[in-house]
Amino acid sequence: MTNWNVSLLAPEIVLSVCALLIMLLDPPLRRKRLAGFSESVALVGFLGALFLGLMRIGLPVDSSFGGFLIADALSTYLHILFAVIGLSVLIMSIPWLRRDGVRQTEFLVLLIFAVIGMMIMSCSAEMVTMFIGLELLSLPLYVLAGYLRNRERTIEASLKYFLLGAFASALLLMGIALQWGTYGTLHLSSVAPGSGAAPLSLPLAAAGFWLVVVGLGFKVSAVPFHFWTADVYEGSPTPVTALMSTGTKAAAMAVLLRLMSAGFAPAAIEWMPVLWWLAVLTMSVGNLMALVQANIKRMLAFSGIAHAGYLLLAICAGGTAGNAALLFYLAGYTVMNLGAFAIVGLLEGKGERFQSIYDYSGLAKRNPWLAAMMTIFLLSLAGIPATVGFMGKFFIFTETLKAGHIGLVVIALLNSLVSVYYYLRVIYLMYMKDEWGEKPVCRVPASVGILLAFTTLVTLWLGVAPNRLLDALMAAARIF
Amino acid sequence: MIDSWILTWLCALPLLGGVAIVLIPRERADLVRWWSLAISAGTFLLSLHLWFHFNVADTGLQFVRSHAWIPRFGIDYAVGVDGISLLLILLTTLIAPLTVLGSWRSVTERVHLFHFCLLFLQTGILGVFMASDLFLFYVFWEIMLVPMYFLIGIWGGTRRIYAAVKFFIFTMVGSILMLAAIIYLVVHHQHVTGLMTFELAALLTSPLEGQAALLACLAFSLAFAIKVPLFPLHTWLPDAHVEAPTAGSVVLAGVLLKMGTYGFLRFCFPLFPEAVHQITPWIMTLAVIGIIYGALLALAQEDIKKLIAYSSVSHLGFVMIGMFALNLQGLTGGIMQMVGHGISTGALFLLVGMIYERRHTRLISDFGGLAKVMPLYTLFFLITTLSSIGLPGLNGFVGEFLILLGTFQVSKLATIFAATGVILGAIYMLRLVQQVFFGTIRHEENRNLGDLVPREIIIIVPLIILMFWIGLYPRPFIERIEPSVNHLLEQVDGVEPAPTHAALPIGSGGALDNHAVIPVAGEGK
């Protein structure tokens, strides 16, 4: 009964074709000075993928390639999310590529492949396919992180990311192998067989499971697997940082979600305490470390770690509603982070010189619109009402409390209190401090302007009217 | 028809007006001021509808509007007004245009943003007073921090940043735990009834018990006590009040503090009746300490604004003991005192703002003998001072008297200490008046100060009128408050309310009671 329905991979195929087109045609065309060719192809690719993703909404669950791939509402949702992320990162990166005069062909191709990797992760129903997706995502990112290869910090970031990433991949692969050895299957839904024995009672099975969790924990930058995050985020080009902080996190979180709420759900009693601590550590360390950062990208890196902690909370909550809360938060987190990084990318100036939070002093006077939008993103990240950040947190906390983890919710709430302080500090600098020193002349390209307007509006809109997305996500949250 | 929409419009109008400021060209600051004045005045006129069409006989919420907002979580957009919130809403809408006028000349930088914040703040505060869904309430409760943060932080005094951040973080500490308690309440309700809802009325049907109720009550109380502020959580208040620009101080003292006391009445009392009885002695003690401590600190201040700020701590302590007396007089007095304090302290901050605009100092020692150069200003300041210290015939008396009356039935000791606070209040306020306005002119700069201009008279006169109105004829106010207070007492005690005639010496009930007011007021004449 093997089903080879290739159409499930339509978005991936469109993107791959575009990437190949760029690789093949860019060199001859460049000589003819046909500027903008590769950008346009990439743009078409992401728009096409987005369109195909939207087309899948409402279709019944389907699987393909012998059950290796699955097209359910969850994968559809994530495909759309990744297409949006790819599109946004593309829009952010074009002015950056021009500004710093970097070669763009390879950049675009790598970006597209990374997004394809995320998409494959999101629709894999089996661990090896998932691993292939993960590698397809990671390898381009290692290169992208070090794309400005004449800059020391970038090289450091890339190398660090590569070494630690490879290590994590190895652990993940080891875990997968152990799973295979124990259960003889790698399907996410059927690992941990219901043979009456507790699913993780076998030592090998337990080891395999935890290795997989560690491997994924590295990608979502959960504490204590987070040590690479700040350095890599800081050193990478800003659009790449945006991609890592939203896309990679979402993809790995989605796999974790599938894993925990499908195959390993019966073992919840065993992994719950560990996940509980993982969530607490991730939130707390992320927020506390963010307090002392003076570089905006490092600050956002640690804030991203903290947000990964909130997402882990939702996995602790479990259940369809808990999963829906997680997916909602992913959307919100993605939107507000993309917006924030887009502004960081605009303001850092040529050579990425202005990345200190103190460079934001007096921004409200120089550029009131950028300051206002940044304020909205930061307030949303801090979880102030009327923003998607608040709604998402509220959903997650409510579901977690429903699942009975009162302590966890209180810790999370106190954490968001801590986070208010460092987000407010940037707002304070933008509005209440006079500018000083050399400041970049900041022109906002129309494309980035549209991206910012879009992310701002979505941040506010989902903060006021989350219903439709939430309802749609309830369907996506019924996993398997 | 209009009844079902009015609250929504009232709440939305300032925000919409505030957003529309974006459309006004950058150099037209004057237009922004006029626009902001028009919007806030329009909101006030709209809110008068509530005053006239409020049904005195109805104990429940009126002008109710309810819509499903996020059905999956049982969250509604639900608003309504009862006797407790009516006056606070009117106070808010009244103060808003006055603050706009009050900052007409003093705010010259970033006027657009300033008025946006002011209008946004108004929406937040109005929302707090009208929400009858806990989620909606929380949204407004939190969101109003943002414009206030900007108001203090951008247009404030020298230590504005410290004050703004302190204000934000302090309030946030309380509200974060309140959110946990709200979610807990809702989840508990769902366990009991199977329904998920954030509607206050529904949540009342599944009360928490024992330890859980006490903890949840404490979480709510912490949030509200910080806002009130109750000793020892008051330390943010002097900083915020002193550093804020005039408009900010007026809104803070006039309305914002009442969000805390209102929260106790609206949520703590009905949701956790037993726990409230448990914590009453503690709250009473802290409130009494606050009354005396605030008054003593006020006595020691050199800065006029700081003095008034500490007097707020003292006055809000009065409100708290009145409310926690948990009887008709105490509660009614507490609400009257909220309104009274909003009017008189709002007026005091406005008046201080006016003198600051002229002299750019607020130190008591920099003044003296102002009565000679600014007679009109002196008159208004004097009336406001007398109202603030509770002179019979002015608004402060009504609340204070009822509070003491209510508290006396519960705790004589607390009443005695609180009464000491009244005396101390008279001392520090009269000392202030004496040193600023009377005696000889000690500083040459003060010799040529101009008296109030028409704009400033327009600001202050409505408040003066209200002081006399409430002081001389409080019945229309009390009769609006009373039914809701009775209803609240039923919820808290589960007992039949006492007949209103016997219970209240001032104001309420039939025409016969009128004579009770007049002799009392007459003593002051």
Side-chain angles (χ1 to χ4, degrees), chain B residues 108-379:
Chain B
T108 50
E109 265 188 62
R110 297 203 245 179
V111 180
H112 287 62
L113 188 60
F114 180 82
H115 286 279
F116 170 76
C117 288
L118 221 49
L119 291 170
F120 187 18
L121 183 63
Q122 203 191 346
T123 289
I125 297 172
L126 286 174
V128 165
F129 288 140
M130 56 180 70
S132 60
D133 178 285
L134 268 79
F135 183 83
L136 188 67
F137 165 77
Y138 185 81
V139 165
F140 284 123
W141 175 271
E142 280 275 288
I143 207 165
M144 127 280 132
L145 291 179
V146 178
M148 201 66 218
Y149 171 73
F150 280 103
L151 282 178
I152 301 175
I154 299 182
W155 295 276
T158 40
R159 287 168 67 241
R160 59 182 186 276
I161 309 296
Y162 172 74
V165 173
K166 195 171 178 184
F167 166 75
F168 203 109
I169 301 284
F170 257 66
T171 317
M172 195 84 181
V173 171
S175 46
I176 282 286
L177 290 176
M178 178 169 73
L179 181 61
I182 290 178
I183 301 177
Y184 184 80
L185 267 180
V186 171
V187 171
H188 170 78
H189 181 78
Q190 196 194 18
H191 281 308
V192 175
T193 63
L195 283 173
M196 193 167 185
T197 175
F198 280 78
E199 188 93 46
L200 178 63
L203 291 175
L204 291 178
T205 59
S206 62
L208 289 177
E209 267 159 25
Q211 201 75 18
L214 187 64
L215 280 174
C217 178
L218 284 176
F220 272 80
S221 302
L222 180 67
F224 299 141
I226 289 174
K227 205 71 156 196
V228 168
L230 197 64
F231 175 88
L233 304 167
H234 65 281
T235 61
W236 65 269
L237 181 135
D239 288 311
H241 279 52
V242 173
E243 298 306 323
T246 302
S249 313
V250 173
V251 176
L252 267 173
V255 199
L256 233 128
L257 303 184
K258 281 77 193 180
M259 285 169 47
T261 42
Y262 170 78
F264 275 110
L265 291 182
R266 173 66 78 229
F267 299 102
C268 267
F269 284 12
L271 278 171
F272 319 105
E274 280 180 22
V276 164
H277 284 291
Q278 273 173 283
I279 63 169
T280 295
W282 301 97
I283 301 262
M284 280 286 209
T285 311
L286 291 177
V288 169
I289 294 176
I291 293 174
I292 308 234
Y293 179 74
L296 287 176
L297 281 177
L299 211 50
Q301 296 310 315
E302 296 300 318
D303 181 312
I304 306 178
K305 221 171 170 182
K306 229 174 187 160
L307 187 151
I308 302 173
Y310 279 112
S311 83
S312 285
V313 177
S314 185
H315 283 160
L316 266 295
F318 265 103
V319 177
M320 290 298 284
I321 58 166
M323 284 171 12
F324 277 84
L326 290 173
N327 51 35
L328 183 61
Q329 294 89 337
L331 278 165
T332 312
I335 297 169
M336 284 311 287
Q337 175 81 340
M338 285 187 218
V339 179
H341 175 260
I343 293 169
S344 50
T345 307
L348 279 175
F349 275 119
L350 283 166
L351 287 163
V352 173
M354 291 171 193
I355 194 74
Y356 184 76
E357 270 178 55
R358 287 169 169 75
R359 280 282 277 116
H360 294 282
T361 174
R362 291 185 305 251
L363 291 181
I364 298 175
S365 54
D366 282 342
F367 298 103
L370 284 191
K372 295 196 180 80
V373 283
M374 303 176 72
L376 200 56
Y377 181 76
T378 309
L379 174 69

Side-chain angles (χ1 to χ4, degrees), chain A residues 321 325 364-366 368-369 375 379 382-386 390-391 394-399 401-402 406 409-410 413-414 416-417 420-421 424-425 427-428 430-434 463-467 470-471 474, chain B residues 22 26 68-73 75 109-110 113 135 138-140 142-143 145-146 149-154 160-161 164-165 168-169 171-174 176-177 179-184 186-187 190-191 196 198:
Chain A
K365 280 191 184 140
R366 254 182 303 150
W369 284 102
T375 305
L379 289 178
I384 302 294
F390 172 72
M391 269 306 171
F394 169 77
F395 292 155
I396 288 185
F397 295 172
T398 307
E399 292 305 336
L401 216 155
K402 253 192 210 169
I406 299 175
V409 173
V410 172
L413 283 166
L414 292 176
S416 41
L417 177 67
V420 167
Y421 183 79
L424 270 192
R425 192 171 47 178
I427 299 178
Y428 141 67
M430 291 193 297
Y431 280 88
M432 301 162 199
K433 196 101 176 143
D434 291 328
V464 176
N467 270 333
L470 195 61
D471 287 346
M474 282 306 279
Chain B
V22 169
R26 239 182 165 173
W69 179 13
I70 308 170
R72 200 166 287 288
F73 283 82
I75 295 168
E109 265 188 62
R110 297 203 245 179
L113 188 60
F135 183 83
Y138 185 81
V139 165
F140 284 123
E142 280 275 288
I143 207 165
L145 291 179
V146 178
Y149 171 73
F150 280 103
L151 282 178
I152 301 175
I154 299 182
R160 59 182 186 276
I161 309 296
V165 173
F168 203 109
I169 301 284
T171 317
M172 195 84 181
V173 171
I176 282 286
L177 290 176
L179 181 61
I182 290 178
I183 301 177
Y184 184 80
V186 171
V187 171
Q190 196 194 18
H191 281 308
M196 193 167 185
F198 280 78

Side-chain angles (χ1 to χ4, degrees), chain A residues 238 295-301 303 335-348 354-364 367-384 387 422-431 444 451-453 455-457 459-460, chain B residues 146 150:
Chain A
T238 306
N295 177 297
I296 185 104
K297 278 164 86 177
R298 286 185 82 87
M299 191 201 94
L300 286 173
S303 115
V335 170
M336 57 203 182
N337 243 26
L338 284 175
F341 274 113
I343 291 181
V344 172
L346 279 177
L347 291 177
E348 66 191 6
F354 304 105
Q355 286 186 348
S356 158
I357 57 168
Y358 300 103
D359 291 324
Y360 286 71
S361 306
L363 182 67
N367 203 327
W369 284 102
L370 277 189
M373 288 192 277
M374 189 66 171
T375 305
I376 291 173
F377 297 135
L378 290 171
L379 289 178
S380 178
L381 285 164
I384 302 294
T387 61
Y422 58 83
Y423 294 123
L424 270 192
R425 192 171 47 178
V426 179
I427 299 178
Y428 141 67
L429 287 168
M430 291 193 297
Y431 280 88
V444 184
L451 172 69
L452 283 174
T455 43
T456 311
L457 287 179
T459 302
L460 293 176
Chain B
V146 178
F150 280 103

Side-chain angles (χ1 to χ4, degrees), chain A residues 78-101:
Chain A
L78 288 167
H79 272 77
I80 297 169
L81 193 67
F82 293 139
V84 171
I85 291 174
L87 200 58
S88 312
V89 173
L90 176 71
I91 292 173
M92 275 184 239
S93 56
I94 290 170
W96 166 73
L97 291 165
R98 296 231 175 95
R99 183 187 73 204
D100 284 21

